[in-house]
Amino acid sequence: MELNANWIGKETTLTAARIPIVLWVLLVTTATITLQTIVNPVIVPTIYFLVMIAVHVSLYWHVKVVVSVSRLLYVTVQGVLIFSTALLMPDGMPALLIGLLPVLIGQCLAIYRRLIIVSMIFGILYACFCIFTLNTQWSNEILLFIALMIFMTIIIISYAILFYRQVESRMRTEFFLKDLKQAHDQVEQLTIANERQRMARDLHDTLAQGLAGLIMQLEATEAHLNRGNLERAKEIVNKSMSQARRTLADARNAIDDLRARTLPELDWQDAVKSEVHRFSSATGTAVKLNNAVKIRLSGKTMEHLLYVLREALTNIAKHAEATDVIVQMEDTTDGNFRMTIRDNGIGFNPDIIGNQAGHYGLIGIKERVRLIGGHLNIQSTGTGTCIQILLQKKESEGG
């Protein structure tokens, strides 16, 4: 995978260098023709020269395609074209060779990316340049041309290094931006999924639990009416009306929380007592409450634990057929928090119930315990159920 990424970068670097190279070739071509025309104008060789320069430029423009076939073939053909065009323009030869050979060497930096290979190509082209010049009318100026050749090569290679680095830096930035966009899209999708889960929990913990409590109270009212106990039935109806108002208020708080994402301040002791009292009033089941917690709980942690307590009590009322319930909140010896909800009901199979469609209460308990970084342990037999949540100190404080 890394090799493919490097090759893609190489192709992009070569492609980005096409325009400045072509402009430079056109400038060198103009200078060569001008020198040749001033000394000895030639028409037919000039036409051939322009055709070969056009092929030379075309290879530069389609360098990505040719290099993908053979890098050596590309460099060889370009070198042959440079020396061949120099033969057609003998009086403009110095400008042509000194102008085009360093460009080819500089382009080899992007083609091979290895200094040893580029140095070998430079040595071969330099040797060919010296031999070629010694066999022309410019042999007396060989030392000057060598100095100019080296000087131009240094300048163009320096420029090529800076240019290729800028291109690669821009490419890396584009790749990083692309990866960042993908990561942003993934985070957005996860955020939407988490919001949907949170909305499902809030709806279950407000409307579903509230309506379940109302149903239990109405069933108790019906039972008292059937026995002619009107006073008790009226008392339960009044409590049902109060609970309906609380359910409506909880639903509005959930909607406000979805809008503002702010947590209400909770009085932990009063909130737990309220939940236990609501359960006892609706079911008539005795509850032993021990809430002697001294550890500081964050608002988010208290909210989740309160929903867990409410769901557990609702499940006991609906399914457990229990006569005794124990709710215990305590600080452990190592400074952690533990909440235990125990009943003497008929029990259930957590592995089966927790995976069945429609039984969202247990799923909600697991999700909320996971969100606050706690550990959930459920033990249930035919003689009762024990739900225990252990929360380490750092999670209880951080929420």
Side-chain angles (χ1 to χ4, degrees), residues 340-359:
T340 305
I341 307 167
R342 192 189 308 271
D343 68 76
N344 63 346
I346 60 175
F348 66 98
N349 189 335
D351 296 330
I352 296 177
I353 298 298
N355 295 321
Q356 287 181 344
H359 295 273

Side-chain angles (χ1 to χ4, degrees), residues 19 26 41 45 49 60 80 105 114 117 149 177 189 199 205 243 265-266 289-290 302 334 336 391:
I19 294 179
L26 294 178
F49 170 78
Y60 273 129
V80 171
I105 295 171
R114 295 181 62 182
I117 297 178
M149 174 72 172
L177 290 175
Q189 292 176 0
M199 291 174 66
D205 294 335
Q243 181 173 345
E265 293 295 331
L266 293 176
L289 174 62
N290 180 13
M302 288 190 291
D334 52 357
N336 297 327
L391 195 63

Side-chain angles (χ1 to χ4, degrees), residues 169-194:
S169 178
R170 187 184 68 213
M171 286 166 44
R172 284 194 296 268
T173 302
E174 292 175 356
F175 284 137
F176 290 152
L177 290 175
K178 183 178 179 181
D179 292 341
L180 183 61
K181 184 179 182 302
Q182 292 177 349
H184 173 75
D185 293 340
Q186 293 176 354
V187 170
E188 186 175 8
Q189 292 176 0
L190 290 174
T191 302
I192 293 174
N194 288 334

Side-chain angles (χ1 to χ4, degrees), residues 215-229:
I215 291 172
M216 288 188 297
Q217 290 178 341
L218 292 174
E219 289 174 347
T221 301
E222 183 183 15
H224 286 294
L225 288 175
N226 292 335
R227 292 195 295 267
N229 191 351

